[in-house]
Structures are given as C-alpha cells and as structure tokens.
Amino acid sequence: MRNLLYLVHRLPYPPNKGDRLRSFHLLKHLATSHRVFLGTFVDSPDDLVHVDALRPLCAEIHVERLDPTQARLRSLTGLACGEALTLPYYRNRGLEAWVRATVEEQRIDTALVFSGAMAQYADALPQLRMLVDFVDVDSAKWTQYSASRRWPSSWLYRREGERLLAFESAVARRAARSFFVTEAEVELFGRLAPECSGKIEAIGNGVDADFFSPANEFSSPFPVGEMPVVFTGAMDYWPNIDAVTWFAQDMLPELRSRWPRLRFYIVGMRPTPQVQALAGDGVVVTGTVPDVRPYLQHASVVTAPLRVARGVQNKILEAMAMARPVVISQACAAGIDATAGRDFDAAPDPGAFIAAIDRLLREPGPAAAMATAARERVVTRYSWYAHLSRIDRHLDAPAAGAIHAA
C-alpha cells in the first residue's frame, strides 16, 4: 500500500457540486488501495464541519483557510511578476510547509494533483512523480470569458488565459500523466499545447445512479398546478449566473406567454445579488436546499443553458439519472456522451430552447421516452468506478528511486 499525496484546491466534501463530486469520488477510489495524505483549502467557514467526514478515507488531512477576498488581493501580485493570477490565489506557506514535511516524513514518491493550480506545490519537489487531474482546460475558460467582457476585464481575462496556458503546458510536460474530463478537452489541450499530446488522456465523470434514481420517491417541493422548469448549480459561479440570467431574460417571457403556470426554479447555494434580483412572479430562487433530488424528480423540464461550459456538467447527468427530460446548450452537449434528440435536447439559441421546452410540455409521450432513454444512458455509460479505475495503472507505476511504505 503506497503513501500518496493528494492535493485539492477545495475540500472535497460534501459532494454537492461539480468539482467536489469528482474530487470526492476520486478520493474514495484512491483510499481503497492507498494511504492518502490530503492537503486542501476551505474557502467557507461553513465547510469546516465537513472535515471529519473525510478522516476515515485519509491517513492525514491538512486544511488551510482561504479567504476569497484576501486571495483575490494576493492574486494581483501575479501582475507584477508576470504569472497567472490563479497561482498566487492558491499560494499558501502553511500548505507548502506541510507538503514538504509530509513528503519527507512519509517517504512519499507520488502526488496526485486535482486542479492545475495545486501543481505548484508538487512541482517544487522534483523527486515527486506527479499526476495531474486538470479536469477542464481552465485557460480556455478565461479566454472565452474575455470575449464577453469590456476592457479592462477583457484584457485581464485574455492575459489570464495566456499565462495560465503557459503554466498548464509546463505542468503537463513535467507530469507523468495528465487527465481531462472529456475527449474534447484532451483534443483542445492537445491543440493548444501540442508538445503534451502524448501525455494526456480523458477520465470521464460519473454519477451515483442509485442515489439519483427515480425509484427514490420524494414529495414535490412545488405548488400544485405549477409547471416547474428547473436549473441546478452553485449560484456564485459566473457561467451559472450567466445561464440563468440569459434564460430568465431571453426565453422565460415567451414560454410563460404560452404556459402561464410555468415557473423557473433556480436551485443552488450562494445566489449572488444578480441572481436574487431575478426572483419574481415567474422565477423562484431557492438558495441552498437540503436535497436537490425532489426538485429534479418533480420538474416538468430540467434545463442547462450554459453559454460557457467546459467538460461534463454533473448537473445534467444527475437530471438524466433522475429520468427527467433535459434541454441543454450545445456547449454542454459537447461534453455528454449521449445522443441529442433521444437522450436530451440541445439548443443553440433562445428560439431553439423555447421550441424544445414547449414541445416537451405539449407532448408528454415523447418527453417520457426521452427521460427513460436518459436514465438508461447514465446507468450504462456513467459509473464512477468504470471511469476512475483508469487511473490505477498510472498510480501503480513505480517512481524512480521509489521507497514504498508498507
């Protein structure tokens, strides 16, 4: 049994959003065969209560507090030294000292890094064999943001995309292997950093199809007679904010003119003032809910109109696993291994979103068939173990001069 260093940019619990779902299930998988030494950040005081839930999976946990306001200010030092702002955002002397001491004391030879920014801790120790789960091509996300922002934000985001790509490329060259969540992300990174193309591969996301199952019956959270269209996700995340704002402004008025009982439910933690301002007669902003499954199970339609989306959106897999008809953007569809028109509907613009949702509401038979097909696709294609076991052969490869703990 190998001692393994696992570095994650955010406490991998609770598994209630995209990156935490992947990092938590990866931790569970690692813990079956390795003694895991977890180094991570907590960026909300509320999350400190969850640290103990991970102790049974870890030989040791080191948690550093990350204050988002202070981290944003610290990130500006990247402008002075020419590096990506993301790197000083996640730079912490306490974590750096713990990593160095733990690697030496526990004779660790292999580190698994979750999220590219955390690679700076392992990269500083050349004796470590490093595996990196980038998840998505974050640099491309910043470049994509820049296209929709005015100067100086557009310049800052474009700069971040360029600097972060340079860092990601250097990390991927140094790493023994790097992973992304979809083949499309692998292809994109291979184009952006062709010198790394032989050292990267896709390890897809999964979904717990027993937990997200229509067999689990819940009471409806909606008033009788409503036709709820549901969006789920963390509502302090800019692509989600943009998605619900776009839907509420450009699609919802027409849909409500056709279906007066239709209401748009925005279900997710930490809604920003911009999201809260959408609440009204046709929009409900729930904030944090104890369980998202009732909202999915009793939704007339689930939608994900993200204009900026990288990789696999777990919110879509969860809705499909709950056997609900789903209408998503083409950006989201690119990351889902399923068939548009059978397992979900994909829409390129507001008119197509309106038409697809309207059709599903008018034709319950085809909507039910799509929901059934969606559930079957998730069960047969998306299992955490099937995906994550692909990392084992890279973890089991011996490091140069390796000394394994018994």
Side-chain angles (χ1 to χ4, degrees):
M1 178 174 281
R2 167 178 283 167
N3 286 349
L4 181 69
L5 180 66
Y6 184 38
L7 300 174
V8 188
H9 70 300
R10 182 181 292 114
L11 186 77
Y13 197 88
N16 57 2
K17 58 182 295 186
D19 66 286
R20 277 180 168 163
L21 279 164
R22 184 174 173 93
S23 61
F24 170 71
H25 282 282
L26 185 51
L27 173 59
K28 282 181 63 179
H29 183 77
L30 298 174
T32 62
S33 304
H34 305 277
R35 297 181 72 241
V36 181
F37 292 78
L38 171 65
T40 189
F41 288 105
V42 164
D43 56 10
S44 169
D46 295 341
D47 286 338
L48 287 171
V49 300
H50 300 303
V51 174
D52 286 344
L54 296 179
R55 295 199 187 279
L57 298 174
C58 300
E60 185 179 328
I61 301 176
H62 181 85
V63 177
E64 289 286 345
R65 292 286 301 274
L66 188 151
D67 180 275
T69 300
Q70 293 180 3
R72 281 192 289 270
L73 292 173
R74 186 169 60 247
S75 72
L76 295 177
T77 63
L79 293 174
C81 59
E83 66 180 346
L85 306 188
T86 302
L87 302 182
Y89 186 97
Y90 286 106
R91 192 165 291 150
N92 180 280
R93 290 181 180 177
L95 183 58
E96 180 182 0
W98 176 82
V99 167
R100 288 183 177 275
T102 301
V103 167
E104 181 178 353
E105 293 167 6
Q106 301 299 330
R107 303 162 77 186
I108 294 174
D109 58 47
T110 300
L112 177 58
V113 174
F114 185 93
S115 182
M118 299 300 286
Q120 60 189 307
Y121 295 99
D123 197 38
L125 300 174
Q127 74 272 31
L128 273 179
R129 181 172 177 272
M130 184 170 60
L131 302 172
V132 182
D133 187 356
F134 284 105
V135 187
D136 305 322
V137 185
D138 282 339
S139 56
K141 190 183 302 181
W142 287 107
T143 301
Q144 194 172 0
Y145 288 169
S146 71
S148 61
R149 297 299 178 95
R150 295 181 177 178
W151 191 91
S153 294
S154 59
W155 169 82
L156 190 65
Y157 288 171
R158 187 167 55 254
R159 176 194 182 278
E160 183 67 4
E162 294 169 353
R163 299 294 196 279
L164 194 55
L165 175 60
F167 175 77
E168 290 168 342
S169 301
V171 167
R173 289 195 301 271
R174 149 86 161 87
R177 199 72 173 175
S178 297
F179 311 100
F180 294 90
V181 74
T182 67
E183 293 292 350
E185 293 292 284
V186 169
E187 181 182 355
L188 172 62
F189 191 72
R191 292 200 309 269
L192 296 173
E195 70 278 13
C196 304
S197 59
K199 303 179 68 178
I200 56 179
E201 67 180 87
I203 293 182
N205 274 356
V207 65
D208 187 339
D210 293 326
F211 184 80
F212 288 97
S213 170
N216 302 316
E217 295 185 5
F218 301 96
S219 298
S220 175
F222 308 118
V224 175
E226 275 194 353
M227 304 176 70
V229 174
V230 173
F231 177 95
T232 63
M235 293 318 305
D236 57 352
Y237 180 50
W238 183 80
N240 288 346
I241 297 169
D242 176 73
V244 298
T245 302
W246 187 40
F247 187 88
Q249 293 177 350
D250 289 17
M251 303 166 222
L252 186 61
E254 175 61 24
L255 284 167
R256 278 179 53 81
S257 73
R258 303 182 190 188
W259 303 94
R261 293 184 292 119
L262 185 149
R263 296 186 84 185
F264 182 38
Y265 278 78
I266 301 171
V267 182
M269 65 184 74
R270 297 192 293 269
T272 63
Q274 182 180 346
V275 174
Q276 293 172 350
L278 298 174
D281 183 51
V283 180
V284 176
V285 180
T286 69
T288 300
V289 297
D291 193 337
V292 73
R293 291 174 296 172
Y295 291 86
L296 294 175
Q297 186 172 69
H298 294 279
S300 298
V301 175
V302 176
T303 190
L306 280 81
R307 290 188 280 193
V308 177
R310 306 230 65 86
V312 175
Q313 300 294 315
N314 284 76
K315 61 174 68 71
I316 298 171
L317 297 181
E318 291 165 359
M320 292 171 65
M322 291 293 292
R324 302 314 306 145
V326 178
V327 181
I328 63 179
S329 66
Q330 289 187 326
C332 290
I336 303 292
D337 183 8
T339 302
R342 183 192 68 190
D343 305 319
F344 58 79
D345 270 337
D349 53 51
F353 266 98
I354 292 168
I357 293 173
D358 181 70
R359 182 171 59 253
L360 291 170
L361 295 175
R362 291 186 185 279
E363 302 176 5
M370 175 179 288
T372 298
R375 166 74 185 174
E376 291 175 352
R377 186 60 175 172
V378 167
V379 170
T380 58
R381 179 65 181 86
Y382 288 97
S383 126
W384 280 112
Y385 176 77
H387 288 301
L388 296 179
S389 61
R390 296 182 59 186
I391 203 171
D392 292 344
R393 63 189 177 95
H394 300 294
L395 288 168
D396 294 337
I403 303 177
H404 294 175

